[in-house]
Amino acid sequence: MKPLLEIDQIHVRYGDMTALRGVSITVAESEVVCVIGPNGAGKSTTLAAVAGGVKPFRGEVRLNGTAITGRAPERIAALGVSLVPEGRHIFGSLTVDENLAIGGYMRNDKAGVAADRARLLDLLPRLAERLHYPAGRLSGGEQQMLAIARAVMTRPRLLLVDEPSLGLAPKIVDQIYEILLDLRRRDGLTLLINEQSSNRILNHADRIHVLRAGVIQLEGRAEDLRDGDAIRHAYFGFGHQAPAAPAALEAAP
Amino acid sequence: MIGLLQNLIDALSLGSIYALTALGIGLLFGILRLINFAHGDFITIGAYALIVPSADVTARMLIGDFNIALMLPAIALIVIVAALLTDALVFRPLRRSSPPTLMIGSFAVSYIIQNAVLMMYGSRPKAINLWSDANTQVIIGDLRVPMLQVITLVVTLALMAGLSVFLKKSRYGVQMRAAAEDFRMAQYLGVRGNFVIGLAFAISGILASAVALLYVTQSGSLSHTMGVPLALFAFVAVVIGGMGSLVGAVVGGFLVGFIVTMLQAYLPPDLRAFRDAFAFAFVILVLLVRPAGLVPARNTVERV
C-alpha cells in the first residue's frame, strides 16, 4: 500500500545548528505512528517540516506521492495536513467557537463544517459548555482538546500532534488519547504523534520511531518494542556516549 | 466652563483624527509586526488625489469636484491601491524580515511617496477648499460647535463600529484576529497569510482616506509632508495605548488629542511653542507607569 506521508531523508538547519540530519519516516493511511525522543531531539522540527513551518535544506516530504517540501503552511493545510502544535497555540483572545470556526474556513462544504462542529462538541461537552468563553481562559486540558478539535475541523487526512501530554495530568492525557483514537476509528484519521516518553504510546501506536540528536535511532512495530530495552538504548544512546546520569534513568520511560 | 467644553470638543475632534490614524497603524502592527510610518503618506496620497496633478500654487479640483457618492469610493480606492502596491513591492519581499527591518522599509516607502508627490505637485503647500459648508457652526446655548467637528466625530465612531463588527462577525475578521494573535498557527489552519495581510493593508487604506478628507477639510491646505506629523502622533498613540491592541490605539488616539488640545489651551503663552515637548514628556510619564501601554495586548505581553 502506498504511504500517505513520506518524509525522505530531510535535513533542517536553524542558523548554525543542525536540527535534523537525514530523518525518514513513512506513515500509511490510517496508521498511528509515534516519534519519541528527549527534549531537543528534533521531534517538533520534524512535524513543522511536514506542515510547512520550516523548510528542509535537503531531502523531500511527499504527501500521497506529491512533493510538498517548501510549500506555504496554508497550502499544505489545504492538502489535508493539520498540526496540533506543542504548547497548543490556542487563539486566546478568540472565543472557543471562533477557534473552531478558523479550522473550518478553508472548507467549501458548509453543511460538512456544521456537522463536524456538532459532532466534536458532542464528543467534547466541556468545550460545548464554554463556546463563547475566550479560549485563553480554558484549563490546559481543555485547551489541548480545543487544539485537537480545531485541527480536526479542517477535515485532515493526516493529523500531526506534538506532545499532546505535555504538562497535563495523567487522567487528562488518557482522555486526550481516547479522543484521538476515537477520531481515528470513526474517520480513519492518520496520526503522527510526538511524545517524550514511550510508556503510554506503546499501547496506542502501530509503529514507533526513536529520534535523538536529529537522527532516527530506532524504528519498529510497537508490539515488538514493548519490553522497552531497545527503546531505552536508542533513547539514551548507550554504547555511543557516556551513560545517562542515574537521575535521568529513574525518569526513563 | 464654556471655554472648557469648547476645548473638550476640540480635543474629541483632534483625537478622532489621531485615533483613526492610530487604528490604521495598529492594525498592520498587529498582523505584520510592522510599524508603518508610511501610513501618514497614505493620508497624503488621499488628500492629493483630490486635485489635478500640477505644480500650480492654486489647487484645481479633480476628484474633489465629483459627487460625494463617487468621490468617497474613488479616494478610498486610490489609497487602497497605493497601500496594496506598497505591500506587494516592499513588504512582501521582506516577509521573513525582523520588525526593525520592516520599520526601516516603511521609512523608505514614506520618503518615496513624499518625493513622488513633490515631483508631481511641486513643493509649495496648496490652499484647498473642500466642503467649506462644513465650517458653519452649530450653536447650542453659548456653545459654538463647528459642524465639521461633529462630522469628524460621527465618521470616526461609524468607522470604528464598522471595523469592530467586521472583526467580530465576518469570517475574514475572525481570521485577521487569529493571524494577529498567532500568524503561523493561523496559517497551519489554512488561513492564507498574504490574503489576510493584504486585507489589513486595504483596511488601513480606507482609514487613511477618511482621515485625509477630514483633515484636509479642517486644515484647508495640502503639503507633501502633511502626513508625517499625523503618523508620528498616531504612532505615539499606539504606543501609549499598547502595541498590538486596537482598543488601545483608539484610547491612545483620543488621549493624545486631549493632551495636545489642553496644552495648547492652558499652557502659558510663552511655553505654547513647546507644546509638543510637553506632550511627549507626558507620554514618557505614561510609559514609565505602564510600560506595556494603557490597554496591553494579551499576545504581546505573553511574548516578552
Side-chain angles (χ1 to χ4, degrees):
Chain A
M1 189 169 133
K2 195 166 154 198
L4 177 63
L5 174 72
E6 297 164 88
I7 303 173
D8 186 4
Q9 289 291 318
I10 57 168
H11 296 248
V12 174
R13 222 170 6 211
Y14 296 112
D16 289 340
M17 199 199 78
T18 305
L20 299 182
R21 314 157 190 272
V23 167
S24 296
I25 297 170
T26 58
V27 185
E29 192 94 48
S30 297
E31 205 178 14
V32 179
V33 174
C34 186
V35 179
I36 60 174
N39 236 341
K43 302 188 298 293
S44 297
T45 304
T46 306
L47 294 194
V50 175
V54 295
K55 191 178 181 221
F57 71 89
R58 205 187 303 159
E60 206 172 60
V61 179
R62 288 185 294 272
L63 192 70
N64 257 351
T66 313
I68 57 169
T69 331
R71 288 202 195 172
E74 60 262 44
R75 293 187 54 201
I76 293 176
L79 294 172
V81 177
S82 204
L83 173 70
V84 181
E86 184 187 335
R88 308 185 275 266
H89 288 256
I90 286 299
F91 303 116
S93 65
L94 274 62
T95 65
V96 171
D97 210 10
E98 286 169 338
N99 269 276
L100 289 175
I102 292 279
Y105 282 146
M106 68 174 188
R107 293 166 55 182
N108 293 322
D109 57 327
K110 268 197 172 160
V113 171
D116 278 355
R117 176 177 171 279
R119 193 175 58 105
L120 282 165
L121 290 179
D122 204 40
L123 194 67
L124 303 165
R126 295 174 57 186
L127 294 186
E129 286 161 24
R130 292 165 176 74
L131 263 187
H132 301 292
Y133 272 45
R137 279 207 256 146
L138 298 182
S139 72
E142 288 162 354
Q143 287 193 11
Q144 185 68 65
M145 289 173 197
L146 177 58
I148 291 169
R150 183 181 65 176
V152 170
M153 284 298 290
T154 66
R155 191 48 88 83
R157 283 191 292 170
L158 172 65
L159 188 64
L160 311 167
V161 192
D162 201 354
E163 302 210 25
S165 56
L166 194 72
L168 298 179
K171 213 179 110 193
I172 307 283
V173 177
D174 285 335
Q175 282 179 24
I176 302 267
Y177 270 100
E178 239 170 72
I179 292 163
L180 287 173
L181 295 167
D182 190 44
L183 287 167
R184 180 216 189 179
R185 261 194 310 275
R186 295 190 198 195
D187 302 353
L189 194 61
T190 309
L191 291 165
L192 179 57
I193 304 175
N194 281 348
E195 278 293 1
Q196 269 196 41
S197 95
S198 66
N199 46 8
R200 190 184 314 267
I201 196 69
L202 274 171
N203 301 321
H204 300 315
D206 299 318
R207 286 188 300 117
I208 305 272
H209 293 70
V210 179
L211 182 66
R212 180 169 49 80
V215 179
I216 299 284
Q217 309 283 345
L218 173 74
E219 61 172 294
R221 288 153 54 86
E223 51 201 12
D224 300 339
L225 297 171
R226 204 144 280 166
D227 91 73
D229 261 1
I231 289 183
R232 254 194 295 280
H233 278 263
Y235 196 100
F236 291 110
F238 294 151
H240 300 289
Q241 294 166 6
L249 268 181
E250 271 168 40
Chain B
M1 186 58 199
I2 289 297
L4 178 67
L5 270 180
Q6 203 88 56
N7 286 328
L8 276 177
I9 290 166
D10 285 348
L12 270 179
S13 158
L14 186 63
S16 298
I17 300 277
Y18 288 150
L20 280 183
T21 313
L23 261 183
I25 293 175
L27 200 64
L28 280 183
F29 178 80
I31 289 185
L32 211 53
R33 302 284 162 238
L34 159 68
I35 297 169
N36 185 21
F37 275 100
H39 188 78
D41 304 288
F42 292 168
I43 295 171
T44 309
I45 291 176
Y48 272 90
L50 287 166
I51 62 169
V52 178
S54 87
D56 298 346
V57 184
T58 44
R60 271 189 302 126
M61 286 293 192
L62 181 69
I63 298 179
D65 266 348
F66 288 9
N67 180 309
I68 188 162
L70 199 62
M71 170 180 153
L72 296 184
I75 298 287
L77 193 68
I78 288 171
V79 183
I80 288 172
V81 167
L84 290 177
L85 273 178
T86 303
D87 179 36
L89 297 176
V90 180
F91 295 113
R92 194 171 291 198
L94 294 176
R95 213 53 114 208
R96 283 165 196 273
S97 309
S98 64
T101 310
L102 292 175
M103 186 177 77
I104 289 167
S106 85
F107 277 121
V109 172
S110 172
Y111 280 112
I112 291 168
I113 294 175
Q114 284 173 34
N115 282 290
V117 171
L118 193 67
M119 285 195 313
M120 284 168 68
Y121 295 88
S123 65
R124 273 193 286 180
K126 294 170 198 282
I128 179 172
N129 184 359
L130 182 70
W131 293 326
S132 49
D133 299 351
N135 285 320
T136 53
Q137 296 188 328
V138 186
I139 297 169
I140 310 165
D142 288 338
L143 210 60
R144 292 160 174 278
V145 185
M147 198 57 203
L148 180 61
Q149 297 196 332
V150 178
I151 294 172
T152 304
L153 191 60
V154 169
V155 167
T156 301
L157 293 179
L159 281 171
M160 283 174 186
L163 182 62
S164 169
V165 168
F166 171 78
L167 288 174
K168 288 238 159 67
K169 300 291 176 205
S170 82
R171 55 158 41 196
Y172 298 117
V174 175
Q175 290 187 32
M176 280 179 77
R177 280 159 56 217
E181 192 167 322
D182 192 333
F183 195 82
R184 177 45 58 81
M185 189 62 232
Q187 282 184 299
Y188 281 144
L189 291 165
V191 173
R192 283 171 297 153
N194 283 331
F195 175 78
V196 170
I197 290 171
L199 206 56
F201 270 98
I203 294 173
S204 90
I206 293 173
L207 294 169
S209 61
V211 172
L213 296 177
L214 294 169
Y215 188 70
V216 161
T217 310
Q218 200 169 20
S219 71
S221 74
L222 295 175
S223 101
H224 66 283
T225 54
M226 62 184 277
V228 175
L230 281 174
L232 183 63
F233 278 99
F235 170 64
V236 168
V238 170
V239 172
I240 298 184
M243 298 292 283
S245 156
L246 294 184
V247 177
V250 171
V251 170
F254 278 109
L255 186 66
V256 169
F258 179 79
I259 294 168
V260 169
T261 310
M262 291 303 155
L263 285 173
Q264 179 70 32
Y266 295 112
L267 270 182
D270 293 349
L271 291 177
R272 266 180 214 165
F274 305 106
R275 180 195 72 189
D276 292 354
F278 281 97
F280 287 121
F282 187 82
V283 168
I284 293 171
L285 214 63
V286 169
L287 290 181
L288 282 176
V289 182
R290 293 190 67 117
L294 296 171
V295 191
R298 210 184 137 272
N299 52 333
T300 43
V301 174
E302 275 181 353
R303 256 172 229 190
V304 172

